[in-house]
Each structure stands twice: as C-alpha cells, then as structure tokens.
Amino acid sequence: MDLAKDRLLKIIYRRIGVGDTKPATIAICMQARNFAVERYDMAIERMKLSRLGAFVRRGGGHALFPLILAIALGVGWWITSEEVRLLENDGVDTTATVISKDWSIRSGTNGNASRYYYVEVEFSAPPDQTISETSEVGSSFYSRLEEGDEIDIRYFAHDPTLVEIDPSKRSTSAFWLGQLGLLMLVWFLGMIWHYWRESAKTFRAVNLGEVREARVTGHVSDATPGVKDTRKKKERRYMLRWDDARDTFGMGGSLREDELEKYPKGTVIVTYTDPVSGETYWEGQI
C-alpha cells in the first residue's frame, strides 16, 4: 500500500508540474498530496481497542501495586487497632518479670537495615496460670530494662497471651499503619487518574483519530542525555523514530534491544493521532 501511495503521489506531482514555484501551483500540489494521503489512510484497517483495553495497555495495571499495599496496611491497622481497643476495654494490669531480651536486624526493599527489639516476660494470670510471652518494644524502652526487672504490663482478660509490655508500641504502630495505608490509597487513586487520562488519548487516537502509515527512520535510547547509562544491555530500552505519510516526525515506544530487530530502518508501521491533544502513537505503543 505504501509503495502504491508513493507511486500515486509521483504521478500527481508530475502532472501538475512540481517544478513550478508559483504559489497557486504549490497550493494545488499540497491539496492533491493531502487528498492522496487521506484516501490511502482511509484504507488502513484500524485496530480494535476498548476504553478498558486502552487503560490496561497504557499501564493501568501498575495501579494494583499501591492498591495491594493499601489493603495489606489497612488489614494490619485494623488488627492492631482492635488489639489496642481490647486491651483498653478489657485489659488487666499486673506485674511481670523480664525473662530475656533480644533484637534482630531486617533489611528492607531499599537495602536499608532496621533493628527490632523484643522482651520476654513472665507473669501470673487466673486461674493459677504462669504465662510467658514475648512482645516487640521500642528501643528506648528496651534499653531501660535488664533481665530480672519487674515491670507493669497489661494483658487481655479473655486471652492472657495478648500482652502489652511497652504501652506506646502498639498504638504507635496502629497510627503509622493507618497513615501509610492512606498514603498508598492516595497513590493508587493518583495512578488511576493518570492512566485513565492517558488511556483517553489512546482510545480517541485509535477510534476517532487519523490513521497513517509511517516509516522507521532510526532507534533512540531512552537514557538521559549526557548521563552514562549504567544499565545492563538486556535492561536498556529504546524508542522508534519515524516519519509518517505527511512528513510528520514522531518518536515513542519502549523496546528492548533484541526487539529492535523487528523494526529495522525502513520498516512501515501504522500510527494513530489523538484529535484532541495531537499526540501520535505507533501501533506497538498501544
């Protein structure tokens, strides 16, 4: 189809005299060229894309990550808050003996390590029970204690294994779990709004916008100019550069180096233009 289009354009230019520099002749040439492009572009079969499909293709699925985190943090907040409520409403104050102290180091996803502190206590609970329980405590509370010390604790009347050793630890944890859960929820809503807006452009481009043929003219790395790309070869991403049938320059996509083999220079691709924003997408981006 692209070769036939080029052939038709050459015939049109030849017949009306493309060498003529008169403004009227040039205007006729441009009108004829645009007419030929539009007639052939109309023959290109459009891809089928729903609004939900556009949302998913534009990356909407990434919003699941903060949603899952928000749910997990929300569940943690609810459990911890419920424990705080039970200890406040049906807690029994008593004295316990510190049996042992311990701490551990855990590495987070960002590589930073955090230290966690634990204290094991022993106390008596009716009817004639001796309970030993370990609970996480704050660093300052931990540093004040020694094995054998007697401290005031609180346990749940209906389940002595639910123990409050450090009075501030559980309520503080509930507060921060709630705050982080709300932050993840806001992040999730923000991503939904962003990807839904982006999907609107893609949806309009595919279903209402102008469809054109374009020719790949080069490959461009997505690395920041002037900054050394330290990524491994298999992790580097590239964009296609193209010129469409109206001699309009375009660039986009995110391809691995091995995927570029499918789109060497000169490859004919199809592009879609959003009639509202004017942004153009090639079929591999959508």
Side-chain angles (χ1 to χ4, degrees):
M1 181 184 297
D2 192 66
L3 294 176
K5 183 194 300 182
D6 292 341
R7 197 174 295 116
L8 176 60
L9 292 177
K10 289 179 181 178
I11 293 173
I12 292 174
Y13 284 130
R14 193 178 300 120
R15 286 187 177 179
I16 62 178
V18 75
D20 191 344
T21 59
K22 293 179 182 179
T25 304
I26 294 175
I28 293 173
C29 285
M30 294 304 299
Q31 290 177 5
R33 178 187 183 283
N34 292 341
F35 173 78
V37 170
E38 289 172 0
R39 299 308 299 173
Y40 274 99
D41 286 346
M42 289 174 60
I44 301 175
E45 184 178 357
R46 290 179 181 270
M47 65 184 299
K48 293 179 174 59
L49 184 66
S50 65
R51 182 60 188 275
L52 180 60
F55 174 75
V56 174
R57 286 170 179 261
R58 294 300 290 172
H62 295 153
L64 289 175
F65 176 69
L67 176 61
I68 292 172
L69 285 179
I71 293 174
L73 289 167
V75 171
W77 167 82
W78 183 84
I79 292 174
T80 307
S81 299
E82 183 67 10
E83 290 176 347
V84 171
R85 187 188 67 81
L86 293 174
L87 288 167
E88 286 180 351
N89 296 339
D90 295 296
V92 177
D93 295 321
T94 188
T95 301
T97 302
V98 176
I99 302 301
S100 64
K101 299 168 56 181
D102 197 7
W103 55 269
S104 65
I105 294 179
R106 300 180 210 162
S107 297
T109 55
N110 58 0
N112 295 330
S114 299
R115 183 173 291 191
Y116 297 83
Y117 301 91
Y118 304 91
V119 170
E120 182 184 8
V121 298
E122 185 176 273
F123 59 95
S124 299
D128 300 324
Q129 299 182 78
T130 299
I131 309 294
S132 295
E133 284 296 327
T134 302
S135 180
E136 184 181 348
V137 299
S139 58
S140 60
F141 186 87
Y142 178 89
S143 62
R144 295 197 303 265
L145 297 180
E146 296 293 341
E147 292 184 9
D149 287 352
E150 290 191 346
I151 59 174
D152 294 329
I153 67 165
R154 175 176 291 184
Y155 65 88
F156 182 42
H158 306 290
D159 182 7
T161 60
L162 177 56
V163 180
E164 181 182 75
I165 298 177
D166 183 349
S168 63
K169 182 61 180 178
R170 190 173 272 106
S171 57
T172 301
S173 297
F175 172 80
W176 285 113
L177 285 171
Q179 295 299 307
L180 288 174
L182 286 176
L183 181 62
M184 292 300 105
L185 184 59
V186 171
W187 184 16
F188 163 71
L189 294 175
M191 291 184 71
I192 289 292
W193 176 80
H194 169 72
Y195 286 118
W196 189 254
R197 186 182 63 173
E198 290 299 311
S199 69
K201 299 178 185 178
T202 308
F203 178 77
R204 288 194 304 261
V206 171
N207 293 279
L208 304 174
E210 185 176 0
V211 54
R212 306 172 189 168
E213 284 186 344
R215 193 180 296 275
V216 176
T217 58
H219 306 142
V220 182
S221 172
D222 67 352
T224 304
V227 179
K228 184 178 179 180
D229 192 350
T230 58
R231 294 174 297 179
K232 296 179 181 179
K233 187 174 181 180
K234 62 180 181 180
E235 296 174 346
R236 294 173 185 170
R237 312 293 293 188
Y238 298 85
M239 296 179 287
L240 293 187
R241 177 185 175 121
W242 71 82
D243 290 326
D244 65 22
R246 292 188 186 276
D247 294 328
T248 302
F249 160 79
M251 188 166 61
S254 181
L255 302 172
R256 297 189 307 272
E257 189 167 0
D258 59 307
E259 293 175 322
L260 292 178
E261 300 175 358
K262 302 177 184 177
Y263 304 98
K265 292 182 181 180
T267 302
V268 175
I269 60 177
V270 177
T271 64
Y272 299 86
T273 303
D274 175 19
V276 177
S277 67
E279 294 185 37
T280 300
Y281 310 91
W282 71 284
E283 54 194 345
Q285 277 181 274
I286 301 173

